[in-house]
Each structure stands twice: as structure tokens, then as C-alpha cells.
Amino acid sequence: MGIISVMIIFLCICVDNMVSANMSAIKMSSEKKSIFSIKLALFFAGFNALWFTTGYILSMVFFRGWVHFANNWVAFAFLLLLGIKFMLESIEKSPSFSNVDADDTRKLVKVSTIIGLNSLLVGYAVETMDKAFLPQVLLLLVFSFGLTLVGFHLGKKTSKTIVSKRVELIAGLILIVMAVKMIII
């Protein structure tokens, strides 16, 4: 798995951040939007990095010896599961925030944790493929922060359709293709 593959996978898992931010922006007034977008992006990026690090460390400490021989299959399974999860999420409601929730740190932590759990599997898979930690986590931070801001600023109260849901479906399909690529190549 090269750096391009890792970047594509990170972009796909950060689409979940974008969808949640987009749904939140539709429900918020413009006064709260600007400050909350930065706060949300920081929380999402931080929790993605935290869960990625946790998955990476778990793989390194506990499972390195006995999973190393099947690292492609582990990465295949995790990416396939994430791809299916994203495709299913594209047809259901995503977690979002409204003006009332903008100051609710507890809900922010809860949603950030739930969305960040995708990074746990990716961190585990990246470590089994013997990739360096620091460049990967920095890429994840940048992508997560950036896509959250993009999703937040694309959301408007006048939106009739939610384009980010289609992007989530496409991200799921890409993750499935990446999973199949793991076992073919």
C-alpha cells in the first residue's frame, strides 16, 4: 500500500466528517456557523488522530507477531467493512448539530468519537502494512480538518438535496475497490 492509496483511504474516511458538518451547517444560523465550523473541525481532526493512533498502537503492541503474515487480508477486511458501512450510511441520517447543540461539548465529544472510530480500523491496517506513523497521522489530521470545513461551508439552509450523501456512497465504493486491490496486488 503506497502513499497514494493511504491518501485515498484517508479522504474516503474523512467524508464522514464532511457529511456530518454539511448536515450541521444546514441546521445552523450564520452567526454560529463560522465559530462552530472551526470548533467542529478541530474536534473531528483530533478524534480521528486519537483513534488512528490507538489502532496503530494496538496493532503494534498486541497483534504484530501473529497478524503480520496475513496483513493484506486484515487490511482487506477492514477496508471492505468500512466501505459497506459508508454505503449503508449514505441512506440513513447522519449525526448533526443545530444552534442549540453548538455549545454542547458532551454531544460534540460523542459524535467525534463515533465518527473517529473509522480511523481505529485504518490505523490498525496501516500499521500491519509497515507504514510509518507520523506522516500518516499528519495526513489524516489535514484531510479531516479540511473536509470538515469544506462540508460545513457547502451546507446551506436552502439546499434541497444533500450532495454529501452521494459523496459518502462514492467513498464507500472506493473503499471496497481499495479492499479488493489489497488482495489482488
Side-chain angles (χ1 to χ4, degrees):
M1 180 166 33
I3 189 70
I4 301 296
S5 296
V6 171
M7 288 172 67
I8 292 170
I9 291 167
F10 285 167
L11 281 171
C12 288
I13 66 167
C14 290
V15 163
D16 219 7
N17 300 348
M18 184 178 81
V19 171
S20 183
N22 188 263
M23 300 290 288
S24 298
I26 291 171
K27 296 178 179 180
M28 289 199 149
S29 64
S30 56
E31 300 85 43
K32 291 250 185 195
K33 223 180 198 184
S34 58
I35 299 294
F36 189 71
S37 65
I38 300 295
K39 183 178 179 181
L40 189 67
L42 288 172
F43 265 83
F44 281 176
F47 275 87
N48 272 334
L50 175 72
W51 285 110
F52 178 84
T53 303
T54 303
Y56 196 92
I57 290 171
L58 282 174
S59 175
M60 189 171 45
V61 171
F62 295 111
F63 303 108
R64 189 164 202 31
W66 62 274
V67 175
H68 190 68
F69 67 92
N71 59 4
N72 283 356
W73 287 99
V74 170
F76 165 76
F78 286 168
L79 292 177
L80 182 67
L81 288 172
L82 283 173
I84 292 169
K85 176 185 174 277
F86 275 41
M87 289 176 67
L88 291 173
E89 282 181 352
S90 70
I91 57 173
E92 65 182 36
K93 187 177 179 216
S94 295
S96 60
F97 299 89
S98 63
N99 285 334
V100 176
D101 300 326
D103 297 325
D104 189 0
T105 306
R106 202 173 198 162
K107 182 175 180 181
L108 193 57
V109 168
K110 180 181 167 188
V111 171
S112 298
T113 299
I114 291 169
I115 289 176
L117 283 174
N118 299 330
S119 300
L120 177 81
L121 295 177
V122 174
Y124 186 94
V126 165
E127 197 284 324
T128 62
M129 301 302 288
D130 292 325
K131 297 294 175 194
F133 171 75
L134 191 60
Q136 313 304 328
V137 79
L138 290 176
L139 274 174
L140 181 60
L141 280 167
V142 169
F143 287 165
S144 180
F145 188 84
L147 281 178
T148 302
L149 288 179
V150 165
F152 208 95
H153 291 289
L154 287 178
K156 294 177 178 46
K157 287 188 181 264
T158 59
S159 299
K160 298 270 190 255
T161 61
I162 301 167
V163 178
S164 60
K165 287 301 216 176
R166 290 187 192 136
V167 174
E168 192 170 32
L169 177 67
I170 293 168
L173 289 171
I174 290 171
L175 284 172
I176 290 173
V177 168
M178 297 295 290
V180 171
K181 180 184 167 235
M182 294 299 299
I183 57 170
I184 291 177
I185 296 177

